[in-house]
Amino acid sequence: MNNIEMLILFLITLGATIFFTWYVKRILLQAKITDNPIVSEHRFKVGTPTMGGIAFLFTVSMIIALYFQNTYILLVCFMMMIGGIVGLVDDLIGLKVKEVQKLVVNISDETITLGRLDVEPNEEVRVATPKAKAEVEGLLKAGKVEVIGEVPIKTEPEELEKIICQIVLGLFLGLTGVVTTLGGFSLGILAIPVCVIAILGCINSVNLIDGMDGLAAGIIGIASISCCIYGDLFGLSHILPPFLILAGVCFGFLVFNKYPASIFMGDTGSFVLGVGYAAAVLIGDIPYFGVLALGVPIISVVVSLLHRAHIIKLPVEPLHHTLNHYGMSEIKIVLSYWGCTALLCAIGIIAKMYLF
């Protein structure tokens, strides 16, 4: 593809995503398929339509129909499609409420402990863990906390079920035989576990980072455009089309998903972006830069894993919600994460130019 054809591909993807997101948003509002955030700082977003990633599936379907003769585009888009379907199943299961958790506020003059959290005076927290549920009744009787609301918690597939589905996606990519080398090394049969690990890591990184307006779409959009710049500078023009598609999808969605968001992507969208980015990096064989460009979500995953292993303690998981919890505004957090992503990408490109 020449430069004009790639520009057309980007503009088609961008325009289609804007149109389909607008259309899907209307349908979701009519069907009353909306989000009910469990993080206290985001309770004001109740009623915002979710599952907006369905628009990505429409866009990708159109791109497949238009560019089915381009094997690279076809493979990446097909992976995005089946990844989005897996995410859509997660979203549909999540429409059912699993339980209702209490939202309490510390009305005492001292810091109290509830579950694993140290709750400051006038601080609101959700009673989520079994330990917190066992302790809250005593705190209510002692007059130290007061119930100020209830938060419905959606049903989710078991972690093992989700991991198995993601492994299947990785196996599918590995068994196609299109991933043969990685970073200059021939993989052979190792291509299969490499694809599985990459798909697992990328899906969960993007899924975890998708918690604030424009955060996931902005990061993947910046990373994808940076991969295009990387490919253009270093003679890897064949990798540009799928990353242009990813960038077009992200920036098109940001028209409605930037702060204050009027639609969320849900697992449907985060799975499309996670699988698509991993597939584009693997098939294009740019693992070092691809991982670096996704550094911010990867670091966020590491911090969450440290929290779950009880090595560190976060008042709210993941890290961006902790920053919000301690007073950093959502806009500043999102812009900081975008800026850090752009900085990492710039470092990767400059290092490649002058050091390698």
Side-chain angles (χ1 to χ4, degrees):
M1 299 178 72
N2 59 40
N3 290 339
I4 297 298
E5 289 173 330
M6 286 192 283
L7 177 60
I8 291 171
L9 171 63
F10 173 75
L11 293 175
I12 288 174
T13 308
L14 179 70
T17 304
I18 292 172
F19 171 75
F20 287 129
T21 302
W22 168 80
Y23 177 73
V24 167
K25 186 177 98 169
R26 292 183 68 246
I27 299 300
L28 292 172
L29 284 171
Q30 291 171 6
K32 294 182 171 34
I33 299 176
T34 57
D35 197 26
N36 198 340
I38 60 177
V39 178
S40 299
E41 288 81 3
H42 292 188
R43 292 296 296 161
F44 69 93
K45 299 181 182 182
V46 171
T48 304
T50 186
M51 292 173 58
I54 294 172
F56 300 175
L57 298 179
F58 289 153
T59 297
V60 170
S61 298
M62 190 182 77
I63 297 300
I64 289 175
L66 291 173
Y67 293 91
F68 68 93
Q69 292 180 319
N70 186 308
T71 304
Y72 193 10
I73 291 177
L74 184 62
L75 280 169
V76 173
C77 285
F78 188 71
M79 289 300 302
M80 292 169 72
M81 178 68 70
I82 59 176
I85 292 171
V86 173
L88 178 60
V89 172
D90 276 4
D91 280 336
L92 291 174
I93 292 172
L95 294 178
K96 181 181 178 182
V97 174
K98 178 182 179 181
E99 64 172 310
V100 176
Q101 296 177 349
K102 292 184 177 68
L103 187 65
V104 301
V105 61
N106 180 2
I107 57 174
S108 71
D109 296 326
E110 59 186 27
T111 300
I112 61 173
T113 300
L114 182 59
R116 292 186 62 205
L117 300 178
D118 295 324
V119 187
E120 302 291 335
N122 299 315
E123 184 179 351
E124 300 176 9
V125 293
R126 180 169 50 89
V127 184
T129 66
K131 187 174 185 294
K133 291 174 184 176
E135 295 172 348
V136 72
E137 294 301 326
L139 292 171
L140 285 168
K141 290 178 182 178
K144 293 187 176 182
V145 300
E146 183 178 275
V147 177
I148 58 173
E150 293 182 329
V151 181
I153 305 300
K154 67 180 183 179
T155 302
E156 291 192 35
E158 296 293 331
E159 286 297 324
L160 181 59
E161 293 175 346
K162 295 172 77 170
I163 290 173
I164 289 173
C165 288
Q166 293 167 22
I167 289 174
V168 170
L169 291 171
L171 286 173
F172 179 84
L173 180 60
L175 291 172
T176 61
V178 295
V179 180
T180 57
T181 61
L182 194 69
F185 298 96
S186 180
L187 292 174
I189 193 66
L190 290 177
I192 294 176
V194 165
C195 287
V196 169
I197 293 169
I199 293 290
L200 275 169
C202 205
I203 285 177
N204 287 290
S205 295
V206 177
N207 190 250
L208 186 71
I209 209 73
D210 179 33
M212 289 186 169
D213 298 355
L215 187 55
I219 287 175
I220 298 300
I222 292 168
S224 297
I225 283 294
S226 298
C227 287
C228 290
I229 295 171
Y230 182 91
D232 187 57
L233 287 175
F234 304 115
L236 304 171
S237 58
H238 65 284
I239 75 170
L240 269 63
F243 284 113
L244 286 172
I245 292 169
L246 280 165
V249 166
C250 290
F251 295 141
F253 191 68
L254 277 173
V255 171
F256 302 94
N257 185 239
K258 66 182 185 300
Y259 188 91
S262 59
I263 188 170
F264 302 140
M265 69 173 67
D267 286 348
T268 309
S270 63
F271 274 52
V272 168
L273 298 183
V275 172
Y277 186 83
V281 168
L282 288 171
I283 300 173
D285 194 9
I286 53 166
Y288 309 122
F289 185 78
V291 170
L292 181 64
L294 207 65
V296 171
I298 290 171
I299 291 170
S300 187
V301 168
V302 171
V303 170
S304 288
L305 290 174
L306 292 173
H307 167 76
R308 294 177 190 184
H310 304 290
I311 296 172
I312 63 173
K313 184 168 73 171
L314 300 176
V316 191
E317 189 192 1
L319 180 61
H320 51 267
H321 285 319
T322 289
L323 295 174
N324 196 208
H325 176 80
Y326 283 124
M328 190 172 181
S329 73
E330 182 170 351
I331 294 176
K332 286 183 179 179
I333 293 168
V334 171
L335 291 177
S336 297
Y337 275 46
W338 287 0
C340 288
T341 299
L343 179 61
L344 286 174
C345 292
I347 290 171
I349 291 171
I350 293 170
K352 175 71 173 177
M353 291 175 67
Y354 295 104
L355 300 179
F356 300 102

